[in-house]
Amino acid sequence: HVFPARALDPGLVYDASYRDYLNFFCALGYNATAMCKFNETRYACPAAPVAVRDLNYPSITLPDLAGLTTVRRRVRNVGAPRSTYTAAVVREPEGVQVTVTPTTLAFGAVGEEKEFQVSFVARVPFVPAPKGAGGYGFGAIVWSDGPGNHRVRTPLAIRRRKM
């Protein structure tokens, strides 16, 4: 089912700025010449490199999980001024433990941003992903501000490295 009216009042959004994308290209190893094509002027990549996995995108994909990996995301409140969202659903991909920190995001104003982290740990023993999925297991995190209100979904696609 598709509910297009929900797009008019999403509650939370994952804002990714122009600078976020430039830093993403830096993390991919683009050189200064290539960066000028995207930015039209010189762009200095950050001294502390940004991890590719930390692009502030609504979904999280890890193509080679081994051990512990932590991903950061930022959400902006575009709903009610005083809103509290909880990670109401954490559906783990097969063979992966998922931990969300913090599990509650309390906003005091419209436009306010909050950051959360998602940690992924490959479970032992190795559990292969379902066939036909390219080795990926799928899950989701769903942020909710209460029954009947907003439900903001973060899809997860994780492929474990066989150890």
Side-chain angles (χ1 to χ4, degrees):
H1 296 283
V2 176
F3 301 100
R6 288 187 185 170
L8 298 174
D9 182 21
L12 298 176
V13 294
Y14 289 79
D15 273 344
S17 70
Y18 188 70
R19 181 174 300 278
D20 289 328
Y21 280 97
L22 291 174
N23 290 340
F24 175 73
F25 291 133
C26 289
L28 290 174
Y30 281 66
N31 64 25
T33 303
M35 293 297 285
C36 282
K37 289 181 182 183
F38 295 118
N39 197 40
E40 299 177 355
T41 61
R42 286 189 56 78
Y43 181 76
C45 291
V50 176
V52 171
R53 65 182 172 264
D54 288 335
L55 175 64
N56 200 47
Y57 202 69
S59 64
I60 298 173
T61 301
L62 297 175
D64 197 23
L65 177 67
L68 169 68
T69 299
T70 300
V71 175
R72 290 164 185 73
R73 290 293 186 269
R74 245 180 10 263
V75 288
R76 179 185 306 273
N77 179 28
V78 294
R82 289 188 173 82
S83 301
T84 300
Y85 286 81
T86 58
V89 176
V90 179
R91 197 173 76 238
E92 298 176 327
E94 188 72 36
V96 178
Q97 178 183 341
V98 178
T99 306
V100 179
T101 308
T103 57
T104 301
L105 302 173
F107 296 92
V110 173
E112 185 178 354
E113 285 188 342
K114 296 284 182 179
E115 183 176 289
F116 65 94
Q117 297 181 356
V118 185
S119 296
F120 300 89
V121 178
R123 290 200 169 119
V124 176
F126 179 79
V127 177
K131 295 209 180 298
Y136 281 87
F138 302 96
I141 300 164
V142 179
W143 294 95
S144 175
D145 62 345
N149 290 332
H150 303 101
R151 295 180 54 82
V152 181
R153 188 172 178 271
T154 304
L156 308 173
I158 313 299
R159 184 172 61 198
R160 292 193 41 202
R161 181 187 316 159
K162 191 170 183 176
M163 301 174 84

